[in-house]
Amino acid sequence: HGENGSEIEFNYKPNGTISENQVRYGVIKVRYHNYTCEHLIFVRQGYAPIAVSSAANATEWYSFNMRTKSEMTESPCEEGSMFKRFAWISPIRPENNRTGAPFQTNPATNGLACIGYGNRQWRWWWGNADGTNDHWADPTVPGKNMKVADVEDYIQLYNDPNVQYGFGILYDGKADGVQVPVKDAYSYYYDDPLGANNKGRGMRGCFVYNQVTGAQIFLPIGASGYGRRRQKRYYNQGGNFYEGELIYGGRDKIMEEDAGLGWHRPILFDLYRRPGAIYWCYKSVEGPMLNDKDLDNVVAWDFNYITFDFYPISFGNVSASATETDALLIRCVVKK
């Protein structure tokens, strides 16, 4: 309780240490404006796999995205690499999103820096992505039993009445407070996790949590805000079209250019700039599902940071053919 205009202050500290195979979690609820507003703060200790759903035999989720087939990221704030469908080979480094081929620039100019392989041109994957398989090969992280999260794993979360999802900013153990500069609040880089002020960067993303148990995972959308490199070509703001450009949405330019209607749609005017991310799923699942007749051949899961949506996405939205696909992020679960 406090007087009007007073700051909301409290302290939180984990109750001791735990082993590497344990995990603790909780949700701090801050109510204000005469209890009409509620702010959620997610806290967690430990990075062991976690069952978020209340369902029997619930899927256990890892806390980190993938850098390569044999390596996870070191922090839950890190976005990891982008991968073409079924292609662990030549993971696309997140550094491309900062320099080289940032938002709406042509990746063909310098190619895309890849882990272990130097630079690759976007069309290189057309002949090397494994378009004949119907699922992702299991990762080979030492000591881990894992697979790429399947559509059914996400559906289990989506259908659980105890599971909710919200979008916000995550800080890891390197941070000593909340960042005020937007760049430091949004732009966690594995090679610069502390930022210019040395206080620890944050990362935007989606918190998926059990409102009864407090169990939670976080899925980052990327330091750039665009967790997707798109295969399909559309004319962008400069009148060019690029394969493999960094962009989340399906549009490429301001709404105003479409018959002058954009001026009457201010909310959608610059929709093409909006942030979000898409994550590959283990294999394709035929639809329809979730009472949506348009959901067919689902291959990925969509995290829309503007509409706060958490929803399946079909093959046709992220691929032009079996090998001509988007490059997306990956999260894994414990293989049963």
Side-chain angles (χ1 to χ4, degrees):
H1 299 276
E3 297 180 357
N4 286 342
S6 62
E7 294 186 359
I8 299 174
E9 296 181 310
F10 62 92
N11 293 315
Y12 154 77
K13 184 178 181 179
N15 184 21
T17 60
I18 59 177
S19 73
E20 64 178 0
N21 296 320
Q22 293 179 299
V23 60
R24 292 173 178 162
Y25 39 75
V27 182
I28 299 172
K29 296 183 177 181
V30 181
R31 296 187 174 97
Y32 54 100
H33 285 171
N34 219 16
Y35 299 99
T36 60
C37 298
E38 184 175 81
H39 185 77
L40 303 182
I41 301 175
F42 299 93
V43 292
R44 180 170 172 178
Q45 183 184 20
Y47 293 133
I50 185 171
V52 178
S53 173
S54 301
N57 199 29
T59 297
E60 292 182 293
W61 291 78
Y62 284 96
S63 300
F64 309 98
N65 281 1
M66 302 300 294
R67 283 185 181 172
T68 70
K69 183 180 181 180
S70 60
E71 182 185 12
M72 291 187 286
T73 62
E74 295 180 358
S75 168
C77 291
E78 186 185 338
E79 65 200 87
S81 303
M82 291 186 187
F83 302 86
K84 300 280 279 185
R85 191 180 185 214
F86 301 149
W88 287 112
I89 189 171
S90 295
I92 301 172
R93 292 179 178 272
E95 294 97 307
N96 294 287
N97 309 337
R98 179 174 46 179
T99 59
F103 177 70
Q104 275 205 322
T105 57
N106 188 0
T109 302
N110 299 309
L112 294 167
C114 299
I115 296 178
Y117 297 92
N119 284 25
R120 300 286 198 195
Q121 293 296 322
W122 182 258
R123 293 198 176 194
W124 177 87
W125 280 274
W126 291 14
N128 292 277
D130 192 349
T132 60
N133 287 343
D134 63 355
H135 64 276
W136 282 87
D138 291 338
T140 56
V141 178
K144 306 295 183 182
N145 181 33
M146 58 199 311
K147 72 177 184 70
V148 175
D150 208 342
V151 174
E152 286 82 0
D153 297 319
Y154 286 105
I155 290 289
Q156 184 184 74
L157 299 175
Y158 188 92
N159 285 336
D160 190 330
N162 292 331
V163 174
Q164 299 293 316
Y165 52 91
F167 292 78
I169 299 174
L170 177 71
Y171 296 91
D172 66 7
K174 300 181 182 68
D176 65 0
V178 175
Q179 290 280 13
V180 175
V182 170
K183 180 179 179 180
D184 289 323
Y186 291 176
S187 304
Y188 186 102
Y189 294 109
Y190 76 92
D191 57 350
D192 185 17
L194 298 181
N197 58 16
N198 212 40
K199 290 185 177 181
R201 294 181 185 268
M203 171 64 76
R204 286 179 290 180
C206 181
F207 294 87
V208 184
Y209 65 100
N210 189 308
Q211 60 186 342
V212 176
T213 67
Q216 62 199 246
I217 55 173
F218 174 81
L219 296 105
I221 66 169
S224 66
Y226 307 109
R228 176 191 192 188
R229 283 194 175 274
R230 197 178 62 199
Q231 168 61 43
K232 287 189 176 181
R233 300 177 294 175
Y234 301 95
Y235 284 99
N236 66 19
Q237 199 66 29
N240 304 305
F241 58 83
Y242 306 133
E243 295 168 329
E245 70 175 342
L246 181 69
I247 190 169
Y248 164 68
R251 292 189 57 83
D252 291 75
K253 55 188 178 181
I254 57 177
M255 189 74 78
E256 177 268 333
E257 294 189 7
D258 290 345
L261 297 177
W263 300 112
H264 305 289
R265 302 171 181 172
I267 295 177
L268 303 177
F269 182 73
D270 60 349
L271 188 64
Y272 75 101
R273 291 183 177 273
R274 294 298 172 244
I278 305 177
Y279 282 65
W280 285 121
C281 293
Y282 174 71
K283 64 179 185 301
S284 172
V285 175
E286 296 299 320
M289 62 181 66
L290 302 180
N291 296 318
D292 187 340
K293 63 180 178 60
D294 294 323
L295 277 179
D296 189 31
N297 197 9
V298 172
V299 297
W301 204 269
D302 185 23
F303 298 86
N304 191 316
Y305 200 82
I306 292 302
T307 63
F308 305 138
D309 207 5
F310 174 82
Y311 206 67
I313 192 166
S314 298
F315 177 82
N317 290 316
V318 294
S319 306
S321 69
T323 56
E324 298 175 78
T325 75
D326 290 2
L328 309 176
L329 302 171
I330 289 180
R331 176 60 59 89
C332 290
V333 298
V334 174
K335 184 177 181 179
K336 297 178 181 179

